[in-house]
Amino acid sequence: MQWGNFLAKEAATHGLSLEQTAAFAKYFNNQNLGKNDAQLASELNVDVAAFRKWMGEVYDKFAQNYLELAISNNRGKVKKLQAYLTAKYNSELDVLKPLAAMKLLKSLVVRERLQQEAWVARRICKFLRYLPLALELVGRYLDKIPDLSLETLLMQLEKKRLEHESLVNPNSLMDYESGLAEAFELSWEYLDENAQNFGCLLSLCALTDIPLSVETIEDEKKQELNEKAIADLLELHLLQRETKEIFRLNPLIRQLFQIKLDKSSEADEVKTKFAAMMLEIAKLIPQQPNPEDILNLTPHIPHITEVATHLSQYLGDENLIILFTKLAWFYQGQGLYQQAEPWLQQCVELTQNRFGLEHSDVVVNLNNLARLYESTGRYSEAEPLYQQALELRKRLLGENHLDVATSLNNLARIYESTGRYSEAEPLLEQALELRKRLLGEEHTDVATNLSYLALVYESTGQYSKAELLYQQALELWKRLVGKEHPHVATTLNNLAALYCYRGRYKEAEPLLKQALKLRKRLLGEEHIDVGTSLNNLAQLYESTGRYNEAEPLYQQALKLSKRLLGDNHPDVAISLNNLAALYRNTRRYKKAKPLFEQALTICERTLGVSHPTTMTVRANYASFLRETYH
């Protein structure tokens, strides 16, 4: 198979559109690797913006199965995708010299057996086109049948070629004459039905590591069958073990198993079973995955994505909505908003098509998508979705419903974030009144609403009103959940932030220390809220000129956020920015500059160039450069 055909196969496997395929093939054509985007776009007779858009979509589709692309910048993605494609191409199509092919066969088959039929052994190598994978399959097969002569084996291979010329779909890019398909046929016939079915099931997995743990299966008989199937596939080299519970299917072996599956009368049943298995794993994804969740779930994500992308017809619409939502949560929880967005968009479209525009599930998905837009500073896109959700809830539930209060809060957040406080304030007041009427004065939702409204009062200079509401919220939380609760710590932070803004540092400091102590005790030292408290207290120390006390707190917060969230999360960028600002204020410019640069890079990559946090970090860095330029 030529490189161009290989790229075409990859494009088809990843579901690229005609435009995306053209850009992909042009970009990675070996003759074009030194050309820039403008040159490539010109050759395709399109503008640069369209070309870059298509390539961005290509990266996103490959990132669904190759997660390292999701956390790379644009230049890093090019290098990683090129390396990925090259390694895969070589692994599929590496061809040996005749002597090397014989050497490989000798390592798999008893030497005396080959010496007795040396000429036939050379003919087998030639028949198999010196392809290592085909030689490996034949060698393992011969090892399982010690009495089989090489002459008989060659006859069987030749017969398979004649019998099964139509085995491979004419549109397939696999070269049937490579001998691999014939070698696979011999191995396939040697397998029992259980191992055949298991191989077909595995072929539905994505082209990446496959986590298999039979120990979690409660049915002992099923566990034994799966263990035997894995052992049989491993012995015949149809499956490779990477680590104890991680396996891989060669791409060509996967394709051959898929061909067998598609010809089977049980294909739909197997695909339905696989889709249901991935759905159950997806259901384990929480809305806010912690580092342990991410570590445990990451190996399964490409295979869940495979169902969402290629096997969606084997899940009912309701289950598909769950699958899409859970995939979005996995990415959104790591700050990978670009990877989360398409799944939430599909959720909205799917619910509208299934239930019509007037349905409660449509509201939920509108809110989820709007929240993502809000998180990335795309307020103009979030606002109409929140407005649509609010109007829908009013029509479906009436004006006096708690969900209406939630929608009022959501829309008010957008107004507050865009400085439209006069629009946010009445919505929050309506929501507060509604919740008090429906839930009574003593309810957690009322306490939450008080804090939101206090924030708007604070932003509009109504400091006395804001302070009163923060204090009311604090007392309400203490009555409802007790003094030892994370919500109490959060409200202490809110009130302390108001005091800091007003220059009342002596009143703020004990509240921040109390909140930090409370969070450490309730949540443990390794929690992101502890990092927030460290940052808040450090900012107070910095504001009061106590730089020696601020610095270790900023450093602790940065280390904690990196440990918990990884190196490419917006919260890490904020910590970097804070520490850089301290270094700037203490004239340690060499230390400040790389931190500002890292913070800005992370923000632009995860939040986008127009997000308020990105703009703040950019402004800080620009101010720093102006200061140090002179």
Side-chain angles (χ1 to χ4, degrees), residues 42-140:
S42 176
E43 290 178 14
L44 287 173
N45 202 25
V46 298
D47 60 45
V48 177
F51 181 80
R52 287 175 176 166
K53 175 178 178 290
W54 293 338
M55 284 308 300
E57 292 165 349
V58 167
Y59 293 137
D60 290 342
K61 288 194 175 182
F62 272 89
Q64 291 173 358
N65 288 335
Y66 183 47
L67 294 181
E68 286 187 48
L69 285 179
I71 56 174
S72 299
N73 56 33
N74 286 342
R75 202 68 214 151
K77 286 180 179 178
V78 173
K79 292 178 180 177
K80 285 188 177 178
L81 185 53
Q82 178 69 33
Y84 166 79
L85 292 170
T86 302
K88 187 173 173 186
Y89 179 75
N90 289 337
S91 71
E92 289 187 19
L93 303 164
D94 189 23
V95 175
L96 299 174
K97 299 285 186 182
L99 287 177
M102 277 296 291
K103 186 176 180 180
L104 174 59
L105 198 57
K106 286 176 182 177
S107 71
L108 298 166
V109 183
V110 176
R111 181 180 295 273
E112 291 76 15
R113 195 172 174 186
L114 291 182
Q115 287 175 339
Q116 291 171 6
E117 300 180 85
W119 173 244
V120 181
R122 285 193 287 272
R123 288 171 60 198
I124 289 172
C125 290
K126 184 177 180 181
F127 180 92
L128 298 176
R129 304 284 280 274
Y130 310 109
L131 189 67
L133 180 57
L135 289 161
E136 187 85 38
L137 294 186
V138 164
R140 299 292 187 95

Side-chain angles (χ1 to χ4, degrees), residues 461-524:
Q462 302 176 70
Y463 303 119
S464 297
K465 278 188 174 182
E467 183 177 348
L468 180 62
L469 291 193
Y470 279 139
Q471 289 171 340
Q472 287 179 19
L474 181 59
E475 292 307 312
L476 187 51
W477 280 121
K478 287 178 179 178
R479 286 199 301 275
L480 294 172
V481 297
K483 294 180 180 181
E484 299 281 308
H485 196 279
H487 287 325
V488 172
T490 300
T491 313
L492 285 167
N493 261 319
N494 292 341
L495 183 56
L498 173 64
Y499 290 156
C500 284
Y501 185 75
R502 300 288 288 156
R504 295 158 63 180
Y505 299 115
K506 287 185 178 179
E507 293 172 84
E509 185 173 341
L511 299 186
L512 289 174
K513 287 181 175 178
Q514 187 181 343
L516 176 59
K517 187 177 180 181
L518 198 54
R519 281 174 163 168
K520 283 183 175 180
R521 189 162 64 246
L522 296 173
L523 305 172

Side-chain angles (χ1 to χ4, degrees), residues 579-595:
L579 185 56
L582 176 71
Y583 289 149
R584 172 192 176 183
N585 290 336
T586 53
R587 299 184 179 279
R588 287 177 281 175
Y589 300 126
K590 287 185 178 179
K591 283 191 171 184
K593 190 173 188 291
L595 299 188

